[in-house]
Amino acid sequence: MAGKVVLHYFNGRGKMESIRWLLTVAEVEFDEVFLTTREQYLKLLSNGDLMFQQVPLVEMDDMKLVQTKAILNYIAEKYNLHGKDPKDKLMVNTYSEGLIDLMEMIMVLPFAADVKPKLDNIQKKANERYLPVFEKALCGSIYLVGGRLSCADVQLLECTLMLEEKFAGILTDFPNVKSFQGRMTRIPAVSRFLQPGSKRKPQPDDVYVKTIMEVFDIKSPFL
């Protein structure tokens, strides 16, 4: 029998947070090994654990999984969170990739030399490009695709919470999305994950940024 799932990443959100969210909704327990030194990262490299020299790394089902989208797709497929047929899976993936694009814009903010124009750009794109898509998709629907919970729903919840941390009231003009968010937070596993003391990570702080820059040997802000 395969052992417990183990996540190798920093003690912060980054690209691992969507994986934490999806495992939580699938009710899969996991342990975490936090990268805190460059030596840890170099050891993973020397062991051949990082195919493309990048984290996240997830140990699961006797495999060492890398590449965020591939990991998310594997978890979604295994736990019936990926659509019931190829067409539904296509739409789930389409929504998921759009959400990942938006969340990655927020993810990199702590590494920017000038945050204000990037925040303005995120807010504009969220309001004009991304949120209208989901507002329309949720008109008369409980979930985004096929009337059933999928990884895209989990990522939409994660994304809307991230947006509200930066832009209070951003969902005011998107009532379907706001109602969806409320429904999702009532799922027991989600409700627990949102409570203090869970494995959900807080917004990035200076310690998180400093650790990443030291582990990857980055000398100055790169955005």
Side-chain angles (χ1 to χ4, degrees):
M1 175 181 278
K4 195 170 186 180
V5 174
V6 181
L7 314 184
H8 297 260
Y9 200 69
F10 303 95
N11 187 11
R13 291 181 182 175
K15 292 190 173 186
M16 187 65 88
E17 192 71 353
S18 290
I19 296 168
R20 295 184 187 107
W21 268 101
L22 195 57
L23 288 170
T24 295
V25 171
E27 300 197 45
V28 177
E29 292 187 2
F30 57 87
D31 290 331
E32 299 190 80
V33 176
F34 297 127
L35 292 179
T36 59
T37 68
R38 182 159 177 79
E39 287 69 31
Q40 285 176 284
Y41 170 65
L42 293 175
K43 188 172 188 299
L44 290 173
L45 289 179
S46 66
N47 290 344
D49 293 333
L50 304 179
M51 185 183 295
F52 298 107
Q53 303 179 20
Q54 298 170 317
V55 289
L57 167 66
V58 174
E59 294 186 64
M60 183 175 185
D61 295 341
D62 297 320
M63 297 184 291
K64 293 183 177 180
L65 310 178
V66 295
Q67 299 301 105
T68 307
K69 291 176 185 176
I71 296 167
L72 290 168
N73 286 343
Y74 179 78
I75 296 167
E77 190 71 21
K78 179 173 181 177
Y79 294 102
N80 200 28
L81 294 166
H82 202 199
K84 67 181 183 298
D85 56 40
K87 288 185 178 180
D88 278 3
K89 289 175 184 177
L90 171 65
M91 288 309 303
V92 168
N93 290 342
T94 302
Y95 287 136
S96 292
E97 293 204 18
L99 288 161
I100 288 170
D101 288 346
L102 180 54
M103 287 191 285
E104 286 185 347
M105 286 188 255
I106 300 173
M107 249 178 252
V108 300
L109 284 174
F111 304 94
D114 187 359
V115 172
K116 179 64 165 61
K118 295 187 180 300
L119 277 171
D120 291 343
N121 181 54
I122 291 167
Q123 186 172 24
K124 178 179 173 62
K125 285 185 175 177
N127 280 316
E128 297 179 4
R129 179 182 298 183
Y130 292 99
L131 289 173
V133 170
F134 298 105
E135 181 69 11
K136 180 178 180 181
L138 290 166
C139 182
S141 300
I142 296 176
Y143 299 117
L144 287 170
V145 179
R148 54 193 277 179
L149 181 65
S150 74
C151 60
D153 298 299
V154 180
Q155 288 167 319
L156 179 56
L157 173 61
E158 179 190 3
C159 186
T160 59
L161 293 172
M162 290 173 70
L163 286 170
E164 287 183 321
E165 289 174 338
K166 301 298 182 187
F167 316 105
I170 192 169
L171 299 184
T172 300
D173 294 331
F174 303 97
N176 293 335
V177 176
K178 188 63 179 176
S179 295
F180 163 86
Q181 186 191 70
R183 291 193 300 272
M184 288 291 291
T185 58
R186 290 192 291 273
I187 295 173
V190 171
S191 179
R192 291 191 298 271
F193 195 58
L194 292 172
Q195 297 303 310
S198 79
K199 291 182 177 179
R200 185 186 182 215
K201 302 299 181 274
Q203 293 191 69
D205 59 12
D206 291 343
V207 173
Y208 172 76
V209 173
K210 181 174 181 288
T211 302
I212 289 177
M213 295 184 76
E214 289 177 352
V215 169
F216 291 141
D217 196 26
I218 301 167
K219 302 302 184 185
S220 61
F222 52 86
L223 292 173

